[in-house]
Amino acid sequence: MSGKKVYEIFIISCVGIVLMFLLSEKKADTGDLTVSKIFKNIENLSLEELINGSHISEVCSSSILPLEEAKPTPKAKPKPKPIVKPKPKPKRKRKTVKKRDKSGPGLLASLTSTAETVALEDYIFKIYKKGELGQHELSFDAFKNALVGFFNLLKENKVKNDRMISIVDYDMPSSKERMFIIDLKEQKLVKKLLVSHGKKSGGEYASNFSNTPSSHQSSLGFYRGSETYDGKYGYSLRLDGLEDSINCKARERAIVMHGAEYVSDSFIKENGRLGRSYGCLALDYEEIDAAIEAIKAGTCIYVHKSLPNYLNSSKLLNLISSSEFFKKLFTDAI
């Protein structure tokens, strides 16, 4: 093989490499280069033309196949997601919530609220709120008990005064003013007083009660203020106990309301509590006259203590019978 022929082969190989490079560069921009066509055209070139390189671009241009207008590749439609039905939530059992009585806090077990008692309970709650009795530390339970018994006593004609009521709350210590005189017509507190308890009922608090003569203990329940008299302690008020086996021996025991020196703020400062009686409702001498004038002549006096034995045995704490009479009074008033 002559040197010239070798040289031609070398030149053609180099040109082929260049063309392959051009093919890769131009394919994306101009079209598809047919390699076989390019080489076929190159064969027709002389060695001088190859070396010169002036005809290479013409060969490439004549060998470019025009590209078809590119059609956009259709996007594959996304596969529809399978519809997953939500699992039904298990039904929750509704808890039965007992409605709280709107008439006030802490109703006693012995005073069960029913549809028949709503009118009376609303009346009781109205006076309790309007008179601001809670702000004066009178418990709602004591006030409600007092009003329930009060209407039962009116029903039985055992009290004459339908306007005034007095409440002694022995849940409170003797160092507090725990006797409350209330005007039901005006719906307000008239007086708030210190009051003693029986010597053998307890120290600062009254916790033991008796209906027995000479027990020197206080008695719970409903009383009626009766006649006045001047006695050992001055101006005094006799009391009638209105509940069998609870305070019915008040007259026999000489349980009355009177003044006493051991009932005063100064006595509390010296002793930390009031002095004690033999079961009587003893008041401050400075307050006794006005108090008796407010509650004498057939008024209702309720002596309260949150003791289940009393609350469950008192017939006067019958809310239904009290409500029936209250309704009758309301109907008659219309």
Side-chain angles (χ1 to χ4, degrees):
M1 185 180 293
S2 64
K4 185 179 179 180
K5 189 67 174 176
V6 172
Y7 186 71
E8 289 178 353
I9 294 171
F10 173 75
I11 293 299
I12 290 172
S13 299
C14 290
V15 171
I17 292 170
V18 171
L19 290 175
M20 291 300 290
F21 177 77
L22 291 174
L23 175 64
S24 64
E25 289 294 313
K26 291 189 175 183
K27 184 176 181 180
D29 298 326
T30 58
D32 193 7
L33 291 174
T34 306
V35 177
S36 60
K37 188 175 180 181
I38 293 171
F39 276 101
K40 186 176 180 180
N41 291 335
I42 289 173
E43 288 177 359
N44 297 325
L45 297 176
S46 64
L47 180 61
E48 289 77 17
E49 290 173 335
L50 289 171
I51 295 170
N52 190 318
S54 60
H55 299 283
I56 293 175
S57 61
E58 295 177 8
V59 171
C60 291
S61 299
S62 63
S63 303
I64 295 173
L65 296 175
L67 282 173
E68 290 183 4
E69 190 171 349
K71 294 182 180 179
T73 305
K75 293 182 180 180
K77 293 183 179 180
K79 293 183 180 179
K81 294 181 179 181
I83 299 172
V84 179
K85 293 183 179 181
K87 294 182 180 180
K89 294 181 180 181
K91 293 182 179 180
R92 293 182 179 180
K93 293 182 179 180
R94 289 186 178 183
K95 293 182 179 180
T96 304
V97 180
K98 293 183 179 180
K99 292 183 178 180
R100 293 186 66 185
D101 193 320
K102 295 180 180 179
S103 63
L107 299 183
L108 300 174
S110 60
L111 300 179
T112 305
S113 179
T114 66
E116 297 176 353
T117 66
V118 170
L120 174 57
E121 291 182 287
D122 285 347
Y123 169 78
I124 293 171
F125 184 60
K126 177 184 176 182
I127 297 178
Y128 185 77
K129 286 297 183 183
K130 187 174 180 180
E132 300 180 339
L133 302 179
Q135 295 179 29
H136 290 287
E137 300 182 275
L138 174 61
S139 76
F140 183 80
D141 287 341
F143 182 67
K144 182 173 182 178
N145 277 10
L147 269 290
V148 169
F150 171 71
F151 283 108
N152 279 325
L153 289 170
L154 285 176
K155 179 181 179 181
E156 298 173 6
N157 293 316
K158 289 186 177 180
V159 293
K160 299 176 183 178
N161 190 319
D162 61 358
R163 176 171 179 167
M164 305 299 294
I165 187 169
S166 301
I167 302 169
V168 176
D169 189 356
Y170 278 150
D171 281 340
M172 299 173 67
S174 66
S175 56
K176 294 276 190 179
E177 292 176 325
R178 53 184 180 173
M179 181 173 178
F180 305 83
I181 301 175
I182 301 163
D183 187 329
L184 297 176
K185 184 177 181 180
E186 295 294 328
Q187 300 183 4
K188 68 178 184 179
L189 180 67
V190 176
K191 278 189 175 295
K192 183 180 175 183
L193 307 163
L194 294 170
V195 61
S196 70
H197 56 255
K199 187 174 183 179
K200 292 189 177 180
S201 285
E204 186 178 1
Y205 287 87
S207 54
N208 302 304
F209 304 92
S210 175
N211 191 39
T212 304
S214 302
S215 64
H216 295 172
Q217 292 183 7
S218 298
S219 297
L220 297 177
F222 290 88
Y223 295 81
R224 176 179 57 233
S226 296
E227 71 273 18
T228 62
Y229 70 99
D230 286 311
K232 178 180 178 181
Y233 296 100
Y235 192 45
S236 305
L237 176 68
R238 298 195 189 279
L239 304 175
D240 293 318
L242 303 177
E243 298 199 70
D244 291 340
S245 303
I246 295 173
N247 61 13
C248 60
K249 295 182 179 180
R251 285 269 182 171
E252 182 181 345
R253 296 178 61 202
I255 301 300
V256 300
M257 182 180 291
H258 62 75
E261 293 179 353
Y262 52 78
V263 180
S264 65
D265 289 326
S266 59
F267 192 95
I268 293 172
K269 288 179 181 178
E270 292 178 10
N271 301 277
R273 60 170 175 80
L274 291 183
R276 294 164 295 173
S277 66
Y278 280 180
C280 293
L281 299 177
L283 308 182
D284 189 327
Y285 267 126
E286 294 183 3
E287 301 283 358
I288 188 64
D289 289 2
I292 290 177
E293 288 302 308
I295 65 178
K296 67 180 182 180
T299 62
C300 174
I301 302 167
Y302 172 60
V303 179
H304 173 79
K305 181 73 177 182
S306 298
L307 288 180
N309 287 342
Y310 167 69
L311 299 176
N312 294 328
S313 62
S314 175
K315 295 178 181 179
L316 292 176
L317 294 181
N318 187 319
L319 180 59
I320 294 176
S321 66
S322 184
S323 298
E324 289 172 351
F325 182 71
F326 178 80
K327 276 188 178 181
K328 184 178 181 299
L329 285 178
F330 181 75
T331 304
D332 291 345
I334 295 175

